[in-house]
Amino acid sequence: MVRSGSTSTSARFVIESSKTDESREPRVPWPWPVVVVVVAAAAILVQWLAFAGIIVPEWLASNGRSFPSILAAASSLWLSGHGVPVDIIGVHIGLIPFGLTCVSLLLGEEACRYGTRVLWHRHDKRPARRHVGEAVALHTTIELLAAVMMAAGATTTHWLAAMVGALLIGLCSGTVGACRGAHINPLSRLPHWARGLPKAVRATVAVCLAGGAAALAVALLVHADRVIHLHQQIGATGWGGFCLILLQLAWLPTMALWGTAWTMSPGFAFGTGTFVSPLGTHLGIVPALPVLGALPSNGPLNPAACAWFAVPVVAAIVGGILVMRSLPEAGFEIGCGLGALSGLLSGLVLGALGSLSSGSLGDGRLSEVGTIMPATGGCAVGVLTLVTMLCGFVIGLSRRLRSEESRQGRVERRQERKKNHAVKAEKKARNRAAKKKAKAEQKAAVKREAEANQDKVAPENATAEPVDDEALGHDIYDSIQHNQDAPDDGEAMDRP
């Protein structure tokens, strides 16, 4: 009991502390545009220093490389997370390491959130949307300038890819961070019928990505002995083994996207003319990277693997439920339309991610590596749209049936209430009539009893002796006369 109380107290303290930190203004004397620029540049510098710190020990171990080449390698790693092809150990790699991309997005979002929080406090917690847009523009500008500097330092020829990647990452991280820092919901101005679409699309895409990550985790667990054996064969120990693990972790989210494509049935390729799918696997010679030991062996259809086809179906059902929950009054007609739109948008997002997870691991046979496009995008759009539309139709139809049943039930209940009211009214009328009848009978009985008592008193009066009124009058007259004739005693004594 004591432990539970202390745990709840500490949790409440953490929540209250986080709320206090959020409402407290950052102690920076600079104007908010300067803060936005400085924190954005600091986030990029932290990434670049981390890459340089990973490479420097290898530079110290090798005597043949110059220090500027190490700095160029750090810049190349930063650019690779922005979609720029790089050369690592003499191999031209055009496959985006989504692990580095996620790091850039998270750090950029946090930096822009901090800068916009300063703006939020400086404008009395009600900043204009124009100022929030200016913060996003400043953040994106710093990202573009950093891309130009990194591309110049790495002497790359892919300037367009560097600029497009920096623009996308700057806009995405800046928009999310600015909206969080300024406490603004950019989707609040959507029409009423479309307000549930963003949540439904996010949930659908998240379930699909979680299914792909789960498929990758299961493959790593099943083929763990092969992965460990490959790592031991490479003989990378110490700092080299640590760098090898980091290198594989950088591409692990990319492989999770391959797992998502694998659950969609088209799968992914690892070389020209190859494919990996639950419907079958055909691979050639694979590089001896430990993580690639999780790839399945060549073979035909695997019935057990077909159970993973349920992932997009479950994701579509979740999206359909969420989009219909946002409109409780929608019927099956609107449900079909909203479900189809939600599935279409989710499929397009997954198709875009699938296209970004495709690239090359060198020239020749490994020039085609990643999600098989456009087959995966087409399957994602088709499956998600169809299942989400059917889910919306079923939910809308069930609502219609329930509404009709409830309407009929309301009519029946209204008739039942009228019938009960009529019965109660009739019962009250009968009770009133019975009370009136009882009162009338009681009055009649009292009247009869009174008449009977009068009838008994009348005979007694009739049998009594009659009084002689004349004699009575004479007696009264004689008495009066006697009193007048008799003298008073006082008067008799006063006479002489």
Side-chain angles (χ1 to χ4, degrees), residues 349-384:
V349 172
L350 290 175
L353 293 176
S355 63
L356 292 175
S357 64
S358 302
S360 62
L361 291 177
D363 300 329
R365 195 179 61 84
L366 293 180
S367 60
E368 296 181 6
V369 175
T371 305
I372 299 176
M373 294 296 291
T376 301
C379 286
V381 171
V383 172
L384 296 178

Side-chain angles (χ1 to χ4, degrees), residues 103-115:
V103 171
S104 298
L105 287 171
L106 291 176
L107 290 178
E109 183 268 335
E110 188 64 25
C112 192
R113 187 184 73 86
Y114 182 84

Side-chain angles (χ1 to χ4, degrees), residues 71-159:
L71 301 181
S75 300
S76 297
L77 285 178
W78 187 87
L79 289 172
S80 67
H82 291 64
V84 179
V86 296
D87 294 330
I88 299 178
I89 319 176
V91 179
H92 182 76
I93 298 177
L95 190 65
I96 300 175
F98 270 98
L100 303 183
T101 305
C102 292
V103 171
S104 298
L105 287 171
L106 291 176
L107 290 178
E109 183 268 335
E110 188 64 25
C112 192
R113 187 184 73 86
Y114 182 84
T116 314
R117 193 154 66 93
V118 176
L119 165 67
W120 184 61
H121 284 284
R122 300 284 173 84
H123 288 78
D124 298 330
K125 300 181 180 180
R126 291 182 179 179
R129 291 180 179 267
R130 177 175 60 85
H131 294 311
V132 177
E134 291 173 356
V136 176
L138 285 174
H139 178 82
T140 307
T141 302
I142 297 301
E143 195 79 24
L144 289 171
L145 291 176
V148 171
M149 296 174 62
M150 298 287 182
T155 63
T156 181
T157 58
H158 302 280
W159 286 87

Side-chain angles (χ1 to χ4, degrees), residues 135 193 203 208 216 265 271 306 312 327 380 399 487:
W193 60 269
C208 289
L216 175 61
S265 80
C306 293
L327 291 175
R399 287 178 180 176

Side-chain angles (χ1 to χ4, degrees), residues 1-12:
M1 297 298 292
V2 175
R3 182 179 300 176
S4 175
S6 61
T7 303
S8 61
T9 304
S10 60
R12 184 168 59 253

Side-chain angles (χ1 to χ4, degrees), residues 399-463:
R399 287 178 180 176
R400 179 68 62 83
L401 295 177
R402 284 200 302 269
S403 64
E404 292 179 356
E405 292 177 358
S406 62
R407 190 183 301 111
Q408 184 178 1
R410 287 195 299 270
V411 172
E412 293 178 354
R413 287 193 296 270
R414 191 181 299 112
Q415 292 177 354
E416 187 68 21
R417 285 196 299 268
K418 288 182 178 180
K419 183 178 179 181
N420 294 335
H421 182 70
V423 171
K424 290 181 180 179
E426 184 179 359
K427 187 176 180 180
K428 288 181 180 180
R430 289 179 179 178
N431 292 335
R432 286 195 296 270
K435 288 181 181 180
K436 289 181 179 180
K437 184 177 181 181
K439 288 181 179 180
E441 291 178 354
Q442 186 177 3
K443 289 181 179 180
V446 171
K447 186 176 182 181
R448 285 194 301 270
E449 185 177 358
E451 292 177 353
N453 292 333
Q454 290 179 359
D455 293 341
K456 290 181 181 179
V457 173
E460 292 178 357
N461 293 333
T463 56

